[in-house]
Amino acid sequence: MTSFLDRLVEAVLCCEVTDGDMRRLATRAIADTICVAAPGAFEPVTRNTLGAYGGSVAATWSGDGCESLEAAVLINAVAAHALDFDDVYLVSLAHASAVIVPAIVSEPLQTHAPDDVIAAFCAGMIAGRAIGQRLGQGHYNKGWHGTGTVGAFAATAAVGRLMNITPERLKSAFALCGSMSGGLRINFGTQAKPVHAGLAAVAGLRAVRLAQAGVTGAPDVFGRNGFIDLYGGADGVDMPEDAAFVAHPGDVSVKLYPCCYAAHRLIGVAMDARERLGADIARRADVRFTVMVPAGSVEVLKYDWPATELEAKFSGPFNVAVALLDGVPTLQSYAAETVQRSDVAAVMQRLTVIEDEGQLSGGDIEFGKVTLQISGGIVDRFERAAIPGSPHDPPAPDALRQKLRGCLRDFEHQAGKPFPGLSYLRRLGAEGWVFGLT
């Protein structure tokens, strides 16, 4: 019987992108990742990371110099995840693109053909999905951050495919990766969270480089007493279905709001109410709001009254209040002055988030539906099952272009120059997602 590792290695190394739709969606994810890294380059965590690894050997997507290729990968991945605006691949339990793309699209890796880069990205998605299914949702529920754990293996697969590693050496690379995989959910709401993405991307690159140089590891890191036994949950599967070994970039959820993905459905139902009842609904002092969520689905939204910009991204009440007051949350919605706004606080005081014990999510962010009950001067009720930007409610092309262009404008405003990372998108044929050419 073929082992999980053998199936995974074969799927990764044989990954090709010949389907036009698969290529289109893969380049969408790459464009989204690089563009959100543009404003992310100015976030404190990215500047701090650059301060630790600055130099003149390589350059980041933002054009800043750094000390090595690994430093460029690290800083690009931190920037991509710094704003929590990067996409989500829930079947992998991770923000997979923010880890994979920097690992294969950082200077000086640009000698590789675009087709190979896109195939490598898809190979990383395969590894993320298959390993995520082996681990199960219980991995995340234990407190692991899949972007740092599963993401490291996804990056290893992507870099291995890009560098045409042999099957045996890829097995060693996975074993080496297993010793570098990590990331804790307790760090959410701090600068450590985006660093998880950077460390995972570097782990993938480092594991492949070591394996290519002849460093060996366990013959099956996913075998008995290996990674799955130590990190997995009770709901993991012994062998994922066949579909897990094929790339599905269409299953990526595009983020339309720069905050924790668990808050996006709450924002969506608030936007539904605002659209029907008008922009002034939140300012009526006689109106109260009750948001009912599946039990366990928003556990990660742990800051009821956020004190910082990072905490605001992980607050259910804050995000609902901002959506009701302002409409679509933007980068500015998480600035320090917004967190301290008195009108936001006033809405939060009239807003309650309740867990629905009749909907036991098991930690699944997409499970069931959320309900917004409006009472007082106005009585109404709104329900939403699909998360905006997910495969069940895909982003409209104009909404995505508005997001990406806004990210690039933010960079140019702060840097006083166009974003250098656009050159990578042009080379990969992914610039159409920004400029409406797709």
Side-chain angles (χ1 to χ4, degrees):
M1 181 178 177
T2 304
S3 71
F4 168 75
L5 179 61
D6 285 333
R7 288 199 68 185
L8 178 61
V9 167
E10 180 181 12
V12 165
L13 297 182
C14 294
C15 182
E16 298 287 348
V17 181
T18 56
D19 179 83
D21 195 50
M22 183 186 297
R23 182 187 180 93
R24 184 179 68 86
L25 292 170
T27 60
R28 181 187 73 175
I30 293 171
D32 184 67
T33 303
I34 292 177
C35 285
V36 298
F42 295 99
E43 286 297 286
V45 61
T46 312
R47 306 318 295 175
N48 291 342
T49 306
L50 183 63
Y53 292 96
S56 58
V57 174
T60 66
W61 292 335
S62 61
D64 292 300
C66 54
E67 67 180 28
S68 65
L69 168 60
E70 286 192 2
V73 170
L74 172 70
I75 295 163
N76 286 339
V78 169
H81 196 42
L83 290 164
D84 237 311
F85 212 1
D86 51 308
D87 65 34
V88 180
Y89 192 43
L90 283 184
V91 292
S92 73
L93 310 174
H95 294 263
S97 298
V99 179
I100 296 170
V101 177
I104 59 175
V105 189
S106 289
E107 190 181 279
L109 291 171
Q110 290 306 298
T111 56
H112 296 277
D115 284 351
D116 289 333
V117 173
I118 295 168
F121 173 81
C122 289
M125 300 296 281
I126 290 172
R129 179 175 186 150
I131 295 169
Q133 288 192 7
R134 286 294 314 273
L135 291 169
Q137 180 67 33
H139 171 73
Y140 183 84
N141 294 346
K142 284 182 177 180
W144 293 110
H145 182 201
T147 301
T149 54
V150 181
F153 286 99
T156 299
V159 177
R161 170 64 180 81
L162 189 68
M163 295 186 175
N164 294 314
I165 196 170
T166 66
E168 288 306 310
R169 287 188 170 179
L170 180 56
K171 291 178 181 180
S172 289
F174 280 141
L176 290 162
C177 172
S179 293
M180 294 184 278
S181 168
L184 306 177
R185 280 175 50 197
I186 198 170
N187 281 320
F188 286 10
T190 75
Q191 291 189 16
K193 182 177 187 283
V195 171
H196 292 170
L199 295 176
V202 170
L205 176 63
R206 186 176 292 163
V208 171
R209 294 177 75 182
L210 289 169
Q212 286 282 62
V215 178
T216 61
D220 187 353
V221 70
F222 304 114
R224 186 172 179 271
N225 294 327
F227 186 80
I228 303 300
D229 285 350
L230 294 174
Y231 286 66
D235 58 338
V237 299
D238 291 334
M239 179 64 77
E241 77 278 7
D242 291 344
F245 298 97
V246 179
H248 299 276
D251 289 344
V252 169
S253 297
V254 176
K255 277 194 170 186
L256 298 178
Y257 323 122
C259 62
C260 176
Y261 192 56
H264 283 219
R265 189 161 53 167
L266 279 64
I267 293 170
V269 77
M271 294 287 295
D272 294 341
R274 189 177 191 270
E275 180 178 354
R276 191 162 88 192
L277 300 178
D280 293 333
I281 182 64
R283 301 187 185 278
R284 289 189 52 166
D286 62 338
V287 172
R288 297 192 61 83
F289 307 92
T290 301
V291 182
M292 186 78 75
V293 301
S297 65
V298 297
E299 180 184 353
V300 67
L301 303 179
K302 57 184 180 179
Y303 300 101
D304 290 337
W305 286 93
T308 68
E309 301 96 308
L310 291 177
E311 290 181 1
K313 292 174 180 284
F314 290 85
S315 171
F318 176 87
N319 280 288
V320 172
V322 167
L324 287 169
L325 284 166
D326 301 339
V328 177
T330 65
L331 294 174
Q332 187 59 35
S333 300
Y334 304 92
E337 54 268 28
T338 307
V339 177
Q340 303 301 323
R341 273 171 48 184
S342 59
D343 59 341
V344 174
V347 176
M348 290 172 64
Q349 288 173 346
R350 293 182 281 110
L351 191 155
T352 305
V353 178
I354 300 175
E355 292 195 274
D356 179 4
E357 296 299 332
Q359 296 187 83
L360 299 177
S361 73
D364 183 353
I365 291 172
E366 291 186 310
F367 181 86
K369 62 186 178 184
V370 299
T371 302
L372 173 59
Q373 180 70 51
I374 300 176
S375 58
I378 295 178
V379 177
D380 212 330
R381 179 183 174 91
F382 298 84
E383 291 184 353
R384 172 172 275 273
I387 299 178
S390 71
H392 305 293
D393 186 11
D398 285 346
L400 180 59
R401 280 193 289 272
Q402 183 176 353
K403 168 190 172 178
L404 301 188
R405 290 173 181 173
C407 287
L408 297 178
R409 283 195 302 269
D410 187 274
F411 178 90
E412 189 162 356
H413 174 74
Q414 295 193 67
K417 64 178 182 180
F419 178 54
L422 276 176
S423 62
Y424 299 105
L425 298 184
R426 294 191 181 100
R427 190 167 186 273
L428 293 172
E431 78 278 16
W433 288 106
V434 183
F435 302 112
L437 305 178
T438 53

